[in-house]
Amino acid sequence: MNIAPFELERYFAKYEFTTKYLLSCSDCEPLHLQELLKMADTETLKLWNNLKLAYTESSGHPLLKEEIAKLYTTIIPDELNVMVPEEAIFIAMNCILEKGDHVVASFPGYQSLYEIANAMGCEVSKWQPDYTNGWKFDLEKLKSLLRPNTKLLVINFPHNPSGATVSKAEFYEIIELCRQNNTLLFSDEMYRFLEYSADNRLPSASDLYENAISLFGMSKSFALPGLRIGWLSSKNKKLMHKIGAFKDYTTICNNAPGEILSIIALQNKHKILDRNLKLISENLQLLDSFFANYKNLFEWHKPLAGPISFPKLTTNMRIDEFCKILVTEYETMLLPSSVYGFQGNFFRIGFARKDLNEGLIQLENFVNRHTFD
């Protein structure tokens, strides 16, 4: 496969571990190992202390799959396969698609959600949101992109990078569109449970539609990206069997410590989610204040869910130049919209880290010391 570079990941590789303030992180403040272990009950702590660093069950630790299944209403452990989140996207796309297939994907988005299909020789149509008073995905636009032969629809709600989502009614309509068209649905749900209001929380697509496959994991909502644990859920047994067989050529099985630590986290999911939502809420107040003070430079609409948003720089300076000066001269990183291959002067800002205010101070220093047309 001749696949294009993953621009977002290349950008992070260049700056993430050498830059002091990361204002672009898409995850929540990562938990410390000891912080997580303190949450473990006696039985699960025994699993950790007695852990043998051997091969693990290919589809995931049985206890982990039991805990994951509790996040759904109808999905059972046998309808899950645990793997690295990025690996899950790669495997699913390879198991679903063939050269020449038509795919519709929400855009902008995590590049692998559409780039793998593109590299396989599929025709990809991009479902882009409208930008007026914030970001909004219009279902009429989606309907215009779907064809009778559309093989796959790829969606991501809550959305990376905009923080947008759709209503429950719209979500059910998306499901019905796929069902009527016999279109498979890949639903990236990595930010599920980080909605600011429970009223905006969507069910998992894999609970609703027999030909949906959902992606979730520990990286974002549960603040444990270093575990590299995610999973796919689907009631499509044929597809899940194919995915399990494909995984024999990638990681084969998961890392043993990550699985046990994920069990502990999911047994304490409410505590972790409450912690992350509290931090997001507090940091959103900081962002509201910052952007209110700089309305002449930025256009900011508060998102509905998740730890990231996609504001607009309204000056004549290109966002790539803005972000380059910020990261090289002020040791502060934002993501320009160009890493998404998206037109416009937008940038991704993350707000679920404890040092957000320190990064905002550096951003403020930058905009106060420079002249903008």
Side-chain angles (χ1 to χ4, degrees), residues 229-267:
I229 294 290
W231 55 85
L232 293 169
S233 58
S234 180
K235 295 185 174 300
N236 187 321
K237 290 181 171 58
K238 183 178 178 180
L239 176 57
M240 290 301 281
H241 178 77
K242 193 174 182 181
I243 284 168
F246 194 107
K247 189 183 174 189
D248 292 340
Y249 286 94
T250 55
T251 57
I252 302 175
C253 63
N254 306 298
N255 78 86
E259 289 196 323
I260 304 305
L261 293 172
S262 295
I263 293 170
I264 296 170
L266 290 174
Q267 288 174 340

Side-chain angles (χ1 to χ4, degrees), residues 30 61 66 69 94 99 108 183 190 192 217 237 253 261-262 274 283 303 306 313 315 326 336 339 343 350:
H61 194 295
E66 284 183 19
N94 274 276
K99 183 177 180 180
T183 296
M190 289 297 290
R192 194 165 170 237
K237 290 181 171 58
C253 63
L261 293 172
S262 295
D274 287 348
N283 282 344
L313 176 68
T315 73
L326 184 64
V339 303
Q343 298 291 322

